[in-house]
Amino acid sequence: MMATLSKWIVPWEFSWVFLAGFLLACVLYWRGSRRLRVGRGRRAAFWIGMAIIWLTLQTYLDFYAEHEFFVHRLQQLLLHHLAPLLICATYPAGVLRAGLPRRWRLRWLKPLRRSWPWRVATGVLFQPLVASILFVFFVLIWLVPSMQTLAMLDWRVYRFMNWTMLLSGFVYWSLILDHRPHPPGRMGAGLRVLSPGITMAPQILAGAIVTFSRSDLYPIFEICGRAFSFNVLTGQMIGGVITWVPAALIESLGGLLALRQWLRLSRSGRLPRKTWQVRTAATP
């Protein structure tokens, strides 16, 4: 039993870069949550999201993701949809910032946020249209059979694929689950509710195409060696359904969370008034 457990715990493909970034985020959040009042629900959601990221990238699940299409789709779903949604729903930026020593915040973080490369990069990546397009693009591009083959044959492309899925998920869900009004939030409260419904449409279509395909779209998994012995088309169908149904459900959940924030902002009177309402009120 211990041998089986250690097999799952030991990373399939260890990465010092990932470990350093993961531990840094954990330490900063732990320090920040001790300095700020963070509810148990928020803390639990954050740690569950971090555990999912570790599970998908640094356990034996990664081996199965390289040898079975439907496990690969499950891995991408967790990286792109569920883990970022859980973490972004806890509004972790303030907690992580509080976890930094004050001297570091003044000496490094503040100048970095004021620098033009930082402002340009965040201005482009967190632009709502760009973030939404990238969120969908990275799902679809890695479903293209030739791109999937390239990722499975080159470990550098494989890691790049996983990082693009994770980071695009974080950027998108941080916009959708922003608890602030617009401005200073980058996306309007109503658009946050509508956006998941828009972005899920092409993903549903792609998932349906894979699900109902009667040919093996991803023979690269046969070359790599399949981990399970059941029918190839059955595994491909399961992978298509994962891309189709659970992904749509998670995005629907994200839309509902955004709707909850919209209602909260409305009840507190923090939504900006329409220009015509202001003009009407100003008319004698």
Side-chain angles (χ1 to χ4, degrees), residues 75-124:
Q75 180 193 50
Q76 300 300 290
L77 175 72
L78 295 175
L79 280 177
H80 190 247
H81 280 62
L82 186 57
L85 183 142
L86 286 172
I87 293 174
C88 291
T90 68
Y91 324 125
V95 182
L96 294 171
R97 186 167 53 249
L100 283 170
R102 186 172 182 274
R103 184 176 58 183
W104 291 13
R105 278 179 277 166
L106 294 177
R107 185 173 181 179
W108 303 106
L109 183 60
K110 195 172 182 179
L112 175 64
R113 296 179 64 183
R114 289 181 174 178
S115 65
W116 70 264
W118 177 269
R119 286 183 293 169
V120 170
T122 54
V124 172

Side-chain angles (χ1 to χ4, degrees), residues 24-40:
L24 178 62
C26 289
V27 170
L28 290 181
Y29 192 85
W30 176 76
R31 284 170 53 90
S33 62
R34 296 185 66 188
R35 294 179 178 178
L36 302 178
R37 295 181 60 183
V38 183
R40 291 182 179 179

Side-chain angles (χ1 to χ4, degrees), residues 97 113 122-123 126-128 174-175 177-189 192 264-265 270-272:
R97 186 167 53 249
R113 296 179 64 183
T122 54
F126 286 89
Q127 202 282 332
S174 66
L175 292 174
L177 302 179
D178 195 340
H179 62 289
R180 304 170 300 170
H182 171 69
R186 296 175 183 266
M187 185 180 286
R192 296 172 198 168
R264 182 184 63 83
L265 291 171
R270 297 177 62 195
L271 289 178

Side-chain angles (χ1 to χ4, degrees), residues 16 30 43 103 132 154 171 184 214 228 231-232 243:
W16 282 108
W30 176 76
R43 279 186 283 182
R103 184 176 58 183
S132 301
D154 191 327
V171 171
R214 295 296 90 196
F228 304 110
N231 185 273
V232 172
T243 306

